[in-house]
Amino acid sequence: QEFAHLLNKKAADVIKKLLNLGVLATINQELDVETLILLGAEFGTTVEVKASKEEILFAEEPDKPEELEERPPVVTIMGHVDHGKTSLLDVIRHTNVTASEAGGITQHIGAYQVEINGRKITFLDTPGHEAFTAMRARGAQVTDIAVLVVAADDGVMPQTVEAINHAQAANVPIIVAINKIDKEDANPERVKQELTEYGLVPEEWGGETICVNVSAHTKVGLENLLEMILLVAEVRELKANPNRKAKGTVVEAKLDKGRGPVATVLVQNGTLEVGDFIIAGTTQGRIRAMQDDKGRRLKKAPPSTPVEIIGLSEVPQAGDIFLAVDDERLAKQITSERSALKREEAIQSRGRVSLDDLFARIQQGEVRELNIIIKADVQGSIEAIKQSLEKLSNNEVRVNIIHQGVGGITETDVMLASASNAIIIGFNVRPDANARKTAESQQIDIRLYRVIYNAIEDVKAAMSGLLKPEI
Ligand code: GDP
């Protein structure tokens, strides 16, 4: 009846069409998304799913302020290769191991927690912005704070800049850890100077960026770094409601020969318990056992806790959202809807910006910002393109260059474009095979140019609806 009403049709006609589709329905019948999409097609209408069942399920009861409790921050470590990300993650992991934990055997489950002055911090164990952005591209936002590692003897390098751009695109606050301070040629002041060029102005220079000198080798400054993380967490008032069914994100997953599908999940809200029925991406199952990063068996996992779980029927993907639900029937419904949604998205890939439909979407008020990633063979071209493109901003659309770099277009660039809904402009460079493949599956618009003028003209034309379609 509701569907008939929306389409301005008679309920009887809808029931007839349903019969044609092999569905025997009453006027009050609840229909699943797949059927609704088919039914829409029968009437020549496109059915768009605005909210999935689990969104409705979770959105129905927002947490009341008094139900919220402080939760530990979730931290990702980013930075240039060899600047000490892995070393820092390792030493942090072994600081403040309390007596009760000392017996536990360290398990690499993809994330771990440390305790400092009675407060916890959760670290994601895969360093680098690639993993971070790949997750974000899948809709998961797990990181509260990014620690940007810059080697004091090396300074700001291309991947440092990438990391800054990726964190900023995700609106994640950055704490800078100036590492290798023990080295003779360490020059933290130079690092700070270089960082200002990317909008990170140290606090002691009147800016807002916390910079901490550290050494993963001598452990100097580590405690300070952890305290700064807690400070930023406090300012951000990170909270969650431990007294509800859990929701979170899959951090890692694999198929274990003996145990079957094993996944590390990060609980972001609610408390996950053994025996809960959960769905994760397109898979589901009842949690048979959980263990933490010290190999301890847990019965409950409160917010911000990473746990390894077994009991899922299939291996989910990193970045999949998981949700504990009350009954199995609902869980199965939701996973089948998710599969349908995924298929739909693959076909339509709604919401992606491309130069071709930019104008129409500006007109419809859907697009107010055009995010662009620039890759070029030389720095000079980047600056020239960037300045000209930013000048194209007008009252309707703002042009943002969210990332730029010298070199070919990589898969990471495409993932960033996907996560930030951006287009990629390549100037005298090409995408590599992986980038090309990912761009195709994620429907990212990559434009390649040899002449700066042409690139500017295309964007200008696209913004005013005058772009000729690509042949
Ligand atoms: P990643 O690529 O960023 O994960 O860097 P790694 O943690 O693998 O470190 C790269 C190299 O720098 C290794 O040889 C480390 O031993 C060294 N290194 C890391 N941190 C420090 C430090 O604080 N001081 C010194 N002297 N060397 C360090």
Side-chain angles (χ1 to χ4, degrees):
Q1 187 164 31
E2 266 174 67
F3 189 84
H5 186 70
L6 282 174
L7 258 66
N8 233 345
K9 303 274 178 215
K10 289 202 193 83
D13 290 340
V14 173
I15 291 175
K16 248 185 252 164
K17 290 270 190 221
L18 277 170
L19 264 179
N20 292 345
L21 293 171
V23 182
L24 187 60
T26 64
I27 195 158
N28 296 321
Q29 187 101 23
E30 207 175 302
L31 300 169
D32 59 28
V33 176
E34 251 161 313
T35 312
L36 287 173
I37 289 169
L38 287 173
L39 192 56
E42 286 282 313
F43 285 105
T45 308
T46 314
V47 172
E48 210 178 306
V49 183
K50 291 279 190 200
S52 56
K53 252 213 174 76
E54 78 261 25
E55 278 169 336
I56 297 166
L57 192 77
F58 220 73
E60 262 172 4
E61 22 169 340
D63 298 308
K64 296 187 195 79
E66 65 268 22
E67 292 173 329
L68 294 174
E69 290 175 23
E70 205 178 300
R71 65 169 175 83
V74 179
V75 179
T76 298
I77 299 218
M78 303 190 195
H80 195 69
V81 64
D82 278 348
H83 279 196
K85 298 181 292 295
T86 314
S87 308
L88 271 174
L89 272 166
D90 276 354
V91 290
I92 290 172
R93 175 176 203 130
H94 295 110
T95 50
N96 295 293
V97 178
T98 59
S100 64
E101 292 173 3
I105 302 159
T106 305
Q107 312 276 319
H108 277 272
I109 64 168
Y112 66 81
Q113 266 189 339
V114 292
E115 209 172 299
I116 175 152
N117 306 329
R119 295 169 69 193
K120 289 178 175 149
I121 305 174
T122 303
F123 283 90
L124 294 179
D125 220 352
T126 344
H129 53 271
E130 293 87 354
F132 169 83
T133 300
M135 279 220 207
R136 214 160 67 78
R138 312 208 59 236
Q141 179 83 290
V142 295
T143 304
D144 299 307
I145 298 166
V147 168
L148 178 71
V149 181
V150 190
D153 60 338
D154 204 21
V156 171
M157 287 286 138
Q159 284 171 298
T160 316
V161 178
E162 265 187 52
I164 295 172
N165 292 337
H166 284 236
Q168 284 177 343
N171 257 327
V172 171
I174 296 171
I175 294 177
V176 180
I178 303 178
N179 189 32
K180 307 198 188 185
I181 202 78
D182 59 290
K183 283 193 138 180
E184 228 166 69
D185 51 350
N187 189 349
E189 294 307 301
R190 197 195 69 192
V191 174
K192 287 179 197 166
Q193 184 63 51
E194 290 171 350
L195 285 169
T196 59
E197 286 170 38
Y198 300 94
L200 297 182
V201 181
E203 272 187 322
E204 61 262 43
W205 295 359
E208 290 185 345
T209 305
I210 297 175
C211 296
V212 186
N213 291 347
V214 298
S215 163
H217 277 192
T218 67
K219 300 188 183 173
V220 157
L222 277 190
E223 200 120 330
N224 192 14
L225 175 63
L226 297 174
E227 274 162 16
M228 288 303 145
I229 292 172
L230 287 170
L231 187 75
V232 172
E234 209 172 293
V235 173
R236 297 203 70 202
E237 296 190 23
L238 304 170
K239 290 186 172 163
N241 175 5
N243 298 310
R244 70 181 300 163
K245 291 256 164 211
K247 185 185 185 181
T249 301
V250 176
V251 176
E252 248 181 47
K254 61 178 182 212
L255 189 62
D256 184 283
K257 260 196 194 143
R259 298 182 293 167
V262 176
T264 296
V265 299
L266 179 73
V267 179
Q268 291 174 281
N269 201 14
T271 295
L272 188 62
E273 298 186 30
V274 169
D276 276 348
F277 203 94
I278 70 162
I279 56 169
T282 52
T283 174
Q284 78 235 351
R286 193 173 294 282
I287 296 186
R288 288 208 307 273
M290 302 199 283
Q291 68 171 23
D292 69 5
D293 55 291
K294 281 124 201 151
R296 294 175 301 196
R297 289 235 166 185
L298 299 185
K299 284 216 151 57
K300 290 176 182 227
S304 292
T305 314
V307 277
E308 199 180 65
I309 58 166
I310 50 175
L312 287 172
S313 59
E314 280 168 59
V315 182
Q317 279 183 284
D320 276 343
I321 313 287
F322 83 82
L323 185 71
V325 294
D326 275 322
D327 66 272
E328 222 168 304
R329 201 182 60 90
L330 185 62
K332 289 193 173 134
Q333 238 178 40
I334 290 174
T335 44
S336 86
E337 276 173 27
R338 278 183 169 181
S339 309
L341 210 64
K342 220 174 179 175
R343 281 197 298 275
E344 267 297 289
E345 269 169 5
I347 299 163
Q348 299 198 354
S349 155
R350 291 186 292 268
R352 284 271 182 262
V353 190
S354 80
L355 283 191
D356 290 324
D357 66 358
L358 182 65
F359 184 67
R361 301 189 42 191
I362 293 170
Q363 294 287 295
Q364 284 162 18
E366 279 178 42
V367 175
R368 301 206 56 100
E369 295 195 332
L370 175 60
N371 289 337
I372 298 179
I373 293 171
I374 305 172
K375 294 302 289 275
D377 54 343
V378 288
Q379 186 63 33
S381 314
I382 295 178
E383 286 308 318
I385 299 174
K386 184 178 170 179
Q387 282 179 14
S388 314
L389 285 177
E390 280 175 343
K391 276 200 206 118
L392 295 177
S393 294
N394 58 32
N395 287 339
E396 271 129 27
V397 225
R398 211 179 69 196
V399 179
N400 296 327
I401 311 303
I402 60 161
H403 176 57
Q404 57 196 352
V406 172
I409 298 163
T410 63
E411 197 176 5
T412 315
D413 295 325
V414 177
M415 292 311 262
L416 178 62
S418 169
S420 308
N421 203 10
I423 63 163
I424 301 176
I425 289 183
F427 185 71
N428 280 327
V429 293
R430 307 172 59 78
D432 62 28
N434 282 340
R436 204 181 285 276
K437 223 166 50 203
T438 312
E440 208 164 284
S441 70
Q442 304 274 327
Q443 313 251 334
I444 299 301
D445 193 5
I446 298 183
R447 302 265 165 166
L448 305 174
Y449 297 94
R450 298 201 166 278
V451 184
I452 294 182
Y453 174 81
N454 291 346
I456 311 300
E457 279 306 297
D458 267 11
V459 175
K460 200 161 148 189
M463 285 172 67
S464 53
L466 299 172
L467 185 73
K468 291 192 197 77
E470 261 189 345
I471 306 150

